[in-house]
Amino acid sequence: MTITDAGGPGSGGGGTAAPERRGRRGARARRVAAGTAAILALTLAATGCEGSSETQSKAAPARKAPEFVWDRSPGSIAAVGDSITRSFNACVVLADCPESSWATGTDTEVRSLAMRLLGNAAGVSERTWNYAKTGAEAEDLSAQMTRAAARKPELVTVMVGANDACSDSADRMTPVADFRASFTGALRELRRTSPKSQVYVSSVPNLKRLWETGRKDPIGRQIWKLGICSSMLGDSQDLGPEATERRDRVQRRVEEYNAVLKDVCGKDQRCRYDGGAVYSYRFDGELLSRWDWFHPSKDGQSALAEIAYRNITAASVPK
C-alpha cells in the first residue's frame, strides 16, 4: 500500500471532498469572524460615544445665571405715584411742593431719599426725576413709568393706592383686579425699556388711622367736609353701624391693595416692597398737613424718606 492510495476514491471522502469542506468551513469562519468584529466595533463605538458624552457632561456642567444683588446705593432716582410724592399741601395750601418730596426733594429740612443717597442738592437736581401727579391712581402708573423708563434710572420709587381707595363712596373704589392689572402693567412698561432699574414700592398708608387721628381735631373735621377722601373721612363723627362698616370696607380694600403690591413686586427680582412699613407707621398731627389733615407735612415727608432709606439700604428684603 502506498501513501498515495490514502487520498483515492476508496478512502471514504475522496481526494477532493476534504479540501472543499475545509474551504467552506474556512469561509464560514471568516464570515463569522467578520460579523463578530463588526458587532464588536459597533459596541465599542456606542460605548465610546456614551462615555464621551458623559465625560463632556461632567466636564462642562450647565452654568446658572448669576443671582442679582440689590444695589443699596443707587446713583439716580425716578419717582412715580400720586400727591404724596408730589408733596401736595406740605408747603402752601392747595399746591404741590416737589422740593419737599420724600423721594426726590431738595429741601434740607426733609432730607429726602435722594438727598440721603446722593449727598447734596446739586446731585439730586441732576440725577432725579419726579413724574408723580396729584390725583393719580394706579391706572396712571403706566404712563408715568414710560417717562421714568426713558431716563434709565437706577431706582424707581412707587407710591400709589390712596386715591384708588379714596373716592366719593366706597362703591367707587378701584376693584382689586383692576389695581393688580394696572400695577403689573406699569412694571412691565418699565422693564420693556429699562430692565435693570430697581424698584422700591411703598405700601398704601393706613387711612383708618388717619381718620382716628384727624377726627379729634376740630379744624381737621371741618376741612374733611370739603370732600377729602369721603369714602373714609366723610361724616367723620358718625360712629353708627353703616359708617363703621363703610370705613372697615375701605380699610380692607387698602389692605388688599398692599397685598397686591407685595405679590406683584415679589415676582420681580429687582423690586423691593417696604414690608408694610408705611401702612404700619403712626402718622400723628405733627406729621400731617395743617391744611387738610390727610397729606404728610414736611415732617411727614421726612418720615417717609427715612422709612424708604432704611428699607432700600437694608441688607435683606423687608418682611
Side-chain angles (χ1 to χ4, degrees), residues 11-303:
S11 63
T16 60
E20 289 177 1
R21 284 198 297 273
R22 285 196 299 271
R24 287 195 295 271
R25 284 198 298 271
R28 274 200 308 273
R30 287 191 295 274
R31 287 196 299 272
V32 170
T36 302
I39 292 172
L40 181 60
L42 290 173
T43 302
L44 290 173
T47 303
C49 287
E50 292 175 0
S52 176
S53 175
E54 183 178 354
T55 301
Q56 284 184 342
S57 176
K58 290 181 178 179
R63 291 184 177 181
K64 292 183 178 180
E67 185 177 352
F68 170 72
V69 178
W70 177 266
D71 182 0
R72 296 158 64 185
S73 57
S76 59
I77 303 171
V80 299
D82 55 29
S83 56
I84 296 178
T85 300
R86 290 299 297 177
S87 194
F88 182 80
N89 268 359
C91 304
V92 294
V93 64
L94 298 179
D96 291 345
C97 186
E99 62 269 26
S100 295
S101 169
W102 68 272
T104 59
T106 56
D107 190 328
T108 55
E109 292 182 34
V110 173
R111 291 193 67 240
S112 69
L113 171 66
M115 290 282 286
R116 297 168 196 242
L117 289 174
L118 304 181
N120 56 66
V124 171
S125 298
E126 294 172 357
R127 292 180 284 166
T128 66
W129 308 273
N130 192 326
Y131 296 117
K133 185 177 180 180
T134 294
E137 299 182 2
E139 66 178 3
D140 300 307
L141 279 185
S142 286
Q144 294 179 15
M145 278 293 196
T146 298
R147 299 179 68 192
R151 296 289 187 175
K152 298 292 197 305
E154 293 183 20
L155 177 70
V156 177
T157 66
V158 180
M159 181 177 284
V160 74
N163 290 327
D164 293 270
C166 287
S167 55
D168 294 339
S169 69
D171 291 336
R172 299 187 64 181
M173 293 186 295
T174 301
V176 176
D178 292 350
F179 186 86
R180 176 182 289 274
S182 294
F183 182 52
T184 301
L187 280 184
R188 187 182 302 118
E189 185 63 31
L190 173 68
R191 293 290 171 241
R192 183 178 294 115
T193 303
S194 188
K196 294 184 179 181
S197 293
Q198 295 183 161
V199 180
Y200 172 73
V201 180
S202 293
S203 50
V204 183
N206 188 326
L207 299 181
K208 191 171 184 180
R209 185 172 292 137
L210 291 179
W211 166 74
E212 292 171 343
T213 300
R215 67 182 293 270
K216 301 172 185 176
D217 185 89
I219 297 177
R221 293 198 301 267
Q222 291 303 313
I223 292 174
W224 289 350
K225 290 180 180 180
L226 299 176
I228 299 174
C229 195
S230 295
S231 57
M232 174 61 78
L233 307 180
D235 301 319
S236 63
Q237 300 306 102
D238 185 353
L239 302 180
E242 290 186 6
T244 299
E245 191 281 330
R246 166 172 54 83
R247 295 186 194 103
D248 289 344
R249 182 180 172 190
V250 175
Q251 186 70 355
R252 286 193 300 271
R253 185 59 55 89
V254 168
E255 293 171 352
E256 289 169 337
Y257 290 163
N258 282 334
V260 168
L261 295 174
K262 179 179 180 179
D263 180 58
V264 175
C265 182
K267 295 175 182 177
D268 186 311
Q269 189 180 32
R270 298 175 187 269
C271 186
R272 179 173 281 196
Y273 175 63
D274 76 356
V278 169
Y279 175 83
S280 300
Y281 194 83
R282 293 185 174 274
F283 287 90
D284 58 25
E286 293 297 320
L287 301 180
L288 298 176
S289 169
R290 65 181 182 274
W291 289 297
D292 63 18
W293 283 81
F294 179 78
H295 290 91
S297 63
K298 280 191 177 184
D299 288 341
Q301 291 285 341
S302 184

